[in-house]
Amino acid sequence: MRLRTLAIATAGTALALASTITPAAAAPTGHDGDHDRDRGHYQGRVTAHGGLLLRDSPTRGSRVIRREPHGAIVSIYCRTEGERVDHNHIWYLLTDGTWAWGSARYIETFGRTPHWC
C-alpha cells in the first residue's frame, strides 16, 4: 500500500511539472511554425560508403568534429539549408554526443522529414 501511494504521488508530481512546461515548449519556431517539443525525435542512417564527416557548420569547408561510419544510426535534431553536396543543399544537425552537421545527401531518414532549425 505504501509503494502504491508513493507511485501515485510521483505520477501526480510528474503530471503537474509537465503541465507547467508544455505552454513554453509549444511556442512556434522555425520556417513552418513547428513546435520545439516536436524536435529531436528523428533518426537516420549514414549512407556514405566511406563514412560521413560531421562538421561544425553546414559547409564542406568547416571544421570536422567527428566521423560516423557507413550504416550508423544517427539522431537528428533539425534541418537547414547549407552548401550543396551533389545537388542537395539540406544539412541535418545531429545530436549524438556532440552537436554536428551532416549533409542530408548521405543520411537516409526514417519516417517524417526533420523540422527546420
Side-chain angles (χ1 to χ4, degrees):
M1 184 69 168
R2 188 175 199 183
L3 185 58
R4 182 177 180 189
T5 303
L6 178 61
I8 291 170
T10 302
T13 302
L15 183 59
L17 181 59
S19 68
T20 61
I21 294 172
T22 302
T29 60
H31 289 260
D32 52 8
D34 293 319
H35 303 298
D36 283 338
R37 64 189 160 96
D38 294 331
R39 294 175 187 247
H41 299 284
Y42 308 100
Q43 288 190 319
R45 175 178 289 119
V46 173
T47 61
H49 291 290
L52 180 61
L53 297 177
L54 302 179
R55 301 177 178 278
D56 66 357
S57 65
T59 64
R60 290 185 290 183
S62 62
R63 182 174 64 92
V64 173
I65 294 177
R66 68 180 193 275
R67 181 186 161 280
E68 285 291 335
H70 177 265
I73 305 301
V74 294
S75 295
I76 303 168
Y77 182 71
C78 62
R79 66 181 161 142
T80 194
E81 294 181 0
E83 181 179 353
R84 286 190 183 278
V85 177
D86 290 340
H87 306 289
N88 187 331
H89 67 279
I90 302 299
W91 288 68
Y92 296 136
L93 180 57
L94 307 180
T95 61
D96 301 301
T98 58
W99 294 75
W101 293 96
S103 172
R105 166 65 178 88
Y106 296 108
I107 300 173
E108 173 188 17
T109 58
F110 306 134
R112 298 179 300 147
T113 301
H115 293 285
W116 291 103
C117 297

